[in-house]
């Protein structure tokens, strides 16, 4: 498969690139800064320079041509203000979905956040983030040209992955290593039977491949 990842230099994306390239997939990661390219190459991915905050749908669609799947893993990141939650966590997600649809890339996996909700109350930056992610998720769900799956991990940690998770429509709060989030994404990309599902993920007791098969109805 050829898989294009938005936010290719993110902590989850770099882990995902390593997993996908190791299993023989062709991986491209969209990045904003050329100096990030070496990290992607080290992970086995082709760096694609494109700023999702300023690019047109046509530009992004050109980068998606010929892909078998697209993964949105971009984020404004900690330390960014409410404005960039709108331009990246919402705006770039919408742009990427539109571009995937235009390029005919149906399989579309989104890294969202537990608690994402367009109606989330509050005035803190994190409240704005959860609203932006919720609005983006809602938009993706409305795209008839996409076979989408939305993954909402719990609190992300840098502990080594265990390969054991709880993956359900609603899990309740919990933590999960970024390693395991990347491993779930790698399975989801390969499992179109999860199309139309919004899933929460935290650490648990079920092997990742079994958890994905279970939610897919297998």
């Amino acid at each position: 498969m050829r898989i294009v990842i938005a936010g290719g230099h993110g902590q989850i994306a770099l882990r995902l690139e390593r997993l996908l390239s190791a299993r023989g997939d062709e991986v491209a990661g969209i990045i904003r800064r050329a100096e990030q390219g070496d990290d992607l190459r080290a992970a086995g991915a082709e760096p694609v320079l494109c700023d999702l905050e300023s690019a047109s749908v046509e530009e992004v669609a050109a980068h998606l041509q010929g892909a078998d799947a697209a993964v949105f893993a971009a984020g404004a990141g900690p330390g960014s203000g409410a404005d960039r939650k709108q331009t990246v966590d919402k705006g770039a997600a919408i742009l990427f979905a539109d571009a995937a649809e235009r390029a005919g890339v149906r399989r579309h996996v989104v890294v969202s956040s537990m608690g994402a909700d367009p109606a989330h109350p509050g005035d803190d930056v994190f409240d704005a983030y959860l609203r932006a992610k919720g609005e983006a998720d809602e938009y993706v769900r409305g795209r008839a040209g996409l076979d989408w799956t939305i993954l909402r991990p719990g609190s992300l940690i840098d502990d080594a992955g265990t390969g054991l998770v709880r993956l359900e429509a609603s899990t309740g709060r919990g933590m999960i290593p970024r390693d395991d989030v990347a491993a779930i994404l790698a399975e989801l990309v390969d499992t179109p039977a999860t199309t139309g599902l919004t899933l929460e993920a935290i650490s648990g007791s079920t092997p990742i491949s079994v958890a994905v098969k279970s939610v897919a109805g297998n």
Side-chain angles (χ1 to χ4, degrees), residues 8-9 14 17-18 31 33-48:
H9 195 256
L14 286 167
E17 287 154 8
R18 290 187 200 102
I31 54 175
R33 298 197 299 274
E35 60 267 24
Q36 298 171 333
D38 286 346
D39 291 337
L40 269 74
R41 293 183 193 96
E46 167 201 348
V48 174

Side-chain angles (χ1 to χ4, degrees), residues 131-188:
R131 282 193 295 274
K133 294 298 278 186
E135 288 163 359
D137 292 354
E138 196 170 74
Y139 184 85
V140 169
R141 289 190 189 110
R143 310 317 300 164
L146 298 179
D147 296 333
W148 56 266
T149 304
I150 294 170
L151 180 65
R152 293 177 166 177
S155 299
L156 299 170
I157 56 175
D158 286 328
D159 293 10
T162 66
L164 300 173
V165 299
R166 183 175 175 191
L167 181 70
E168 298 169 14
S170 179
T171 61
R173 295 282 171 183
M175 296 185 294
I176 185 168
R178 288 177 171 87
D179 287 351
D180 288 336
V181 176
I184 293 170
L185 292 170
E187 289 280 343
L188 290 176

